[in-house]
Amino acid sequence: MADTRRNSALRELTRQAVRARIAEAAMALFVANGYERTTVDHVAESVGMSARSVFRYFPTKEDMVVGHLDEVGVKIADALEARPTTESAWTAVRHALKHHIEELAADPETNLAIATMLIDAPSLLPALLAKQARWVDGLAPNLTQRLDGPLNLRPLKARAIAFAALACLNNAVDEWTRTGGAKPVGRTLDALIAAVRG
Amino acid sequence: MADTRRNSALRELTRQAVRARIAEAAMALFVANGYERTTVDHVAESVGMSARSVFRYFPTKEDMVVGHLDEVGVKIADALEARPTTESAWTAVRHALKHHIEELAADPETNLAIATMLIDAPSLLPALLAKQARWVDGLAPNLTQRLDGPLNLRPLKARAIAFAALACLNNAVDEWTRTGGAKPVGRTLDALIAAVRG
DNA sequence: GCAATGCGTGTCAGTGACTGACAAGTCCGT
DNA sequence: ACGGACTTGTCAGTCACTGACACGCATTGC
């Protein structure tokens, strides 16, 4: 009976499609002309809709860049859940991050372009860090179970480790970007984690 | 006499005084009415000047809150320089952070009020994290000298450790705020650092 | 003393990110 | 064909922020 459910599923599908289309166009403009110099009106025009409608798909301009990072965070969290419970917190996160790294390396060209754009868009750094801070919320619960010591401290420890691991990841990716994709992220990441634990 | 030197020094002095005055008034309004609900016009009116002039003292509204964090970062960096060169990177930062913690504990009332305001001002979290990211720039050079291993990796390692240490600090301070100042920050910080290295 | 200079400030106009409200159009099941 | 759910454009308005200009006040040079 052509229930409203199929209807809403379809709407959600097209909605996601439009969203992706906007994000793609926006990223292209940002990479080409720089983030700050590209106005939302430009993006809107390039997709053929009004700026008001663009804001119906993205809460902020920043979200056109960092919006997809939410699902990246979820993916990393999933990868973490998939690790055997016997693994220590650090080894588990390290492996969970590897998956994300492989995605980076899969399309180096695009990702390097994006990373380069981020560098001269200082207003995006805060947004980026804030997104990653939210990743910690997804990682901490699982990490908590891999820790010992006083119960009330474990969640805190888990968050600290998660942050530290992401800091290692960021620096490894930065180095990768700086060297134009030469240095493999995975190796650097391992070295940094070892240093932090040193 | 009345040389130009005294003159410009005096100007700088009054400038800093006005700046402090604005920051104070702004913080009072932010704590009382919330950051987002307080407009720059409100702040300007409360100090008796035009909004345009307020922006001559603070580059952004955020800076009225996090502006002083620049010098905090410098202080921590100085404290780090003061540690004996024989100390390992981790022990040196740990001690450097202790100084900052003491300042927090020195005026718990005000600092708790500020910390509480920050919680329901989501737009400030990114700015906060970005400021701390800049702290890393100040800490890394000294930490680099305390590391071994391949030369080209040391600066990267230093940054990772600095970030990790700040993550520990943040979580310790958060816990302190959450418990209304009950749990001493220093103890939690030590526990978290131990966990990260564990 | 008096003009010149420098600096702080207010005002005004303008941009860009965002929001609320309303009207018009489209798609869908009935 | 009708009604409702959903999408979109338009318009007006807020708020952070910026550049330009003019005024006033204090210090400086003569």
Side-chain angles (χ1 to χ4, degrees):
Chain A
M1 44 165 317
D3 50 351
T4 55
R5 224 179 296 135
R6 169 146 104 235
N7 198 315
S8 66
L10 195 129
R11 292 196 185 278
E12 185 59 21
L13 206 70
T14 65
R15 178 175 173 81
Q16 287 312 111
V18 175
R19 201 181 133 95
R21 185 189 150 85
I22 297 175
E24 197 180 345
M27 287 305 297
L29 288 177
F30 293 160
V31 169
N33 311 331
Y35 176 77
E36 329 260 6
R37 280 187 301 272
T38 307
T39 87
V40 176
D41 279 331
H42 293 158
V43 176
E45 191 186 7
S46 128
V47 214
M49 52 196 316
S50 75
R52 186 66 181 91
S53 282
V54 170
F55 279 116
R56 286 178 176 123
Y57 289 90
F58 290 92
T60 67
K61 181 184 174 188
E62 282 172 355
D63 249 60
M64 299 174 203
V65 180
V66 300
H68 74 285
L69 290 186
D70 282 332
E71 51 182 284
V72 173
V74 172
K75 271 186 195 169
I76 296 179
D78 287 348
L80 181 62
E81 306 278 351
R83 301 302 306 177
T85 356
T86 58
E87 276 182 349
S88 76
W90 267 112
T91 33
V93 252
R94 206 182 73 225
H95 285 118
L97 292 179
K98 286 289 168 67
H99 184 259
H100 172 232
I101 290 176
E102 284 163 15
E103 292 199 351
L104 270 190
D107 187 357
E109 219 167 287
T110 329
N111 288 318
L112 274 176
I114 295 178
T116 307
M117 172 204 56
L118 292 182
I119 286 175
D120 53 31
S123 67
L124 279 179
L125 172 66
L128 231 69
L129 293 174
K131 275 290 176 201
Q132 291 203 343
R134 304 247 29 245
W135 290 4
V136 172
D137 299 335
L139 298 177
N142 184 281
L143 288 180
T144 303
Q145 298 170 1
R146 299 172 191 269
L147 295 173
D148 44 20
L151 264 177
N152 58 341
L153 267 183
R154 287 186 202 175
L156 237 16
K157 287 180 180 178
R159 293 183 63 84
I161 292 179
F163 266 117
L166 291 178
C168 292
L169 175 68
N170 286 338
N171 279 290
V173 173
D174 277 359
E175 182 71 359
W176 178 74
T177 309
R178 216 173 292 126
T179 59
K183 287 200 187 175
V185 185
R187 290 235 189 290
T188 319
L189 177 65
D190 287 342
L192 293 185
I193 291 184
V196 166
R197 303 185 63 180
Chain B
M1 40 131 76
D3 51 350
T4 56
R5 223 179 296 134
R6 168 145 107 236
N7 197 316
S8 65
L10 195 134
R11 291 196 186 281
E12 185 59 21
L13 205 70
T14 63
R15 178 176 171 79
Q16 286 311 110
V18 175
R19 202 181 133 95
R21 185 188 149 87
I22 297 176
E24 197 180 344
M27 287 305 297
L29 287 177
F30 293 160
V31 169
N33 312 331
Y35 176 77
E36 329 260 7
R37 280 187 301 273
T38 307
T39 86
V40 176
D41 279 331
H42 292 158
V43 177
E45 191 187 6
S46 128
V47 229
M49 52 198 316
S50 76
R52 187 65 182 90
S53 281
V54 169
F55 278 115
R56 287 178 176 122
Y57 288 89
F58 290 93
T60 68
K61 181 185 175 187
E62 282 172 355
D63 249 60
M64 299 175 203
V65 180
V66 301
H68 73 285
L69 290 185
D70 283 332
E71 50 182 283
V72 173
V74 173
K75 272 186 195 169
I76 296 179
D78 287 348
L80 181 63
E81 305 279 350
R83 300 304 305 178
T85 357
T86 57
E87 276 183 348
S88 76
W90 266 112
T91 31
V93 252
R94 206 182 74 225
H95 285 117
L97 292 179
K98 285 291 167 66
H99 184 259
H100 172 232
I101 290 176
E102 284 163 16
E103 291 198 352
L104 270 190
D107 187 356
E109 218 167 287
T110 330
N111 289 318
L112 275 176
I114 295 179
T116 308
M117 172 203 57
L118 292 181
I119 287 175
D120 53 30
S123 68
L124 280 179
L125 172 66
L128 231 69
L129 292 174
K131 275 291 177 200
Q132 291 203 343
R134 304 249 25 248
W135 291 4
V136 172
D137 299 334
L139 299 177
N142 183 281
L143 289 179
T144 303
Q145 298 172 2
R146 300 172 190 270
L147 295 173
D148 45 19
L151 264 177
N152 58 341
L153 266 183
R154 288 187 201 174
L156 238 15
K157 288 181 180 177
R159 292 183 63 84
I161 293 179
F163 267 117
L166 290 178
C168 292
L169 175 68
N170 287 338
N171 279 290
V173 173
D174 278 358
E175 182 71 359
W176 177 73
T177 308
R178 216 174 293 126
T179 59
K183 287 201 188 176
V185 185
R187 289 234 190 289
T188 319
L189 176 65
D190 287 342
L192 292 185
I193 290 184
V196 166
R197 304 184 62 180

